[in-house]
Amino acid sequence: MDIKVGDRLEMKKPHPCSCKNFLVLRVGMDFKLQCEKCGHQFMIPRSKAEKNIKKILSNPQE
Protein backbone atom coordinates (compact mmCIF):
# COMPACT_ATOMS: atom_id res chain seq x y z
CA MET A 1 0.00 0.00 0.00
CA ASP A 2 1.27 3.46 -0.87
CA ILE A 3 0.43 5.65 2.12
CA LYS A 4 2.11 9.02 2.63
CA VAL A 5 2.21 11.63 5.36
CA GLY A 6 -0.88 13.83 5.09
CA ASP A 7 -3.21 11.12 3.74
CA ARG A 8 -6.61 10.71 5.35
CA LEU A 9 -7.65 7.11 6.03
CA GLU A 10 -11.01 5.53 6.73
CA MET A 11 -10.52 2.53 9.00
CA LYS A 12 -12.75 -0.51 9.48
CA LYS A 13 -12.96 -0.04 13.25
CA PRO A 14 -13.77 3.33 14.84
CA HIS A 15 -11.77 5.14 17.51
CA PRO A 16 -13.49 5.10 20.96
CA CYS A 17 -14.88 8.58 20.16
CA SER A 18 -16.80 6.94 17.23
CA CYS A 19 -14.76 8.53 14.41
CA LYS A 20 -13.41 6.27 11.63
CA ASN A 21 -11.26 8.90 9.88
CA PHE A 22 -7.59 9.40 10.72
CA LEU A 23 -4.79 11.65 9.49
CA VAL A 24 -1.37 10.08 8.82
CA LEU A 25 1.39 12.00 10.66
CA ARG A 26 4.30 9.54 10.23
CA VAL A 27 5.04 6.45 8.15
CA GLY A 28 7.67 3.76 8.52
CA MET A 29 7.59 0.48 10.44
CA ASP A 30 4.88 2.17 12.54
CA PHE A 31 2.20 4.66 11.53
CA LYS A 32 1.43 7.68 13.68
CA LEU A 33 -2.24 8.49 13.25
CA GLN A 34 -4.40 11.32 14.55
CA CYS A 35 -8.14 10.99 15.08
CA GLU A 36 -9.95 13.70 13.11
CA LYS A 37 -12.71 14.12 15.71
CA CYS A 38 -10.92 14.27 19.07
CA GLY A 39 -7.31 14.86 17.95
CA HIS A 40 -5.85 11.89 19.85
CA GLN A 41 -2.50 10.75 18.40
CA PHE A 42 -1.24 7.17 18.60
CA MET A 43 1.30 4.81 17.06
CA ILE A 44 0.19 1.55 15.42
CA PRO A 45 2.32 -1.14 13.74
CA ARG A 46 2.27 -0.91 9.93
CA SER A 47 0.99 -4.49 9.47
CA LYS A 48 -1.99 -3.90 11.78
CA ALA A 49 -2.81 -0.52 10.22
CA GLU A 50 -2.73 -1.86 6.64
CA LYS A 51 -5.15 -4.67 7.55
CA ASN A 52 -7.62 -2.20 9.07
CA ILE A 53 -7.67 0.40 6.27
CA LYS A 54 -11.02 0.52 4.49
CA LYS A 55 -10.04 3.23 2.00
CA ILE A 56 -7.73 6.19 1.45
CA LEU A 57 -9.88 9.33 1.40
CA SER A 58 -7.34 11.78 -0.01
CA ASN A 59 -3.82 11.95 -1.40
CA PRO A 60 -2.64 15.57 -1.08
CA GLN A 61 0.42 14.99 -3.32
CA GLU A 62 -1.71 13.90 -6.30
Side-chain angles (χ1 to χ4, degrees):
M1 239 178 221
D2 189 30
I3 298 170
K4 301 176 184 84
V5 173
D7 286 353
R8 292 175 54 237
L9 307 175
E10 181 178 340
M11 304 298 258
K12 292 177 184 173
K13 294 182 180 180
H15 188 250
C17 72
S18 75
C19 182
K20 289 187 175 186
N21 297 335
F22 297 89
L23 178 66
V24 178
L25 301 177
R26 179 183 179 273
V27 293
M29 286 300 294
D30 295 321
F31 284 173
K32 186 171 187 177
L33 302 177
Q34 180 177 2
C35 177
E36 290 191 341
K37 185 174 179 182
C38 69
H40 181 78
Q41 295 180 4
F42 58 95
M43 299 286 285
I44 185 171
R46 184 182 196 105
S47 58
K48 187 173 181 182
E50 287 182 346
K51 281 188 221 172
N52 290 324
I53 293 172
K54 191 171 187 180
K55 64 181 170 180
I56 299 173
L57 299 173
S58 65
N59 288 325
Q61 289 83 12
E62 296 179 355

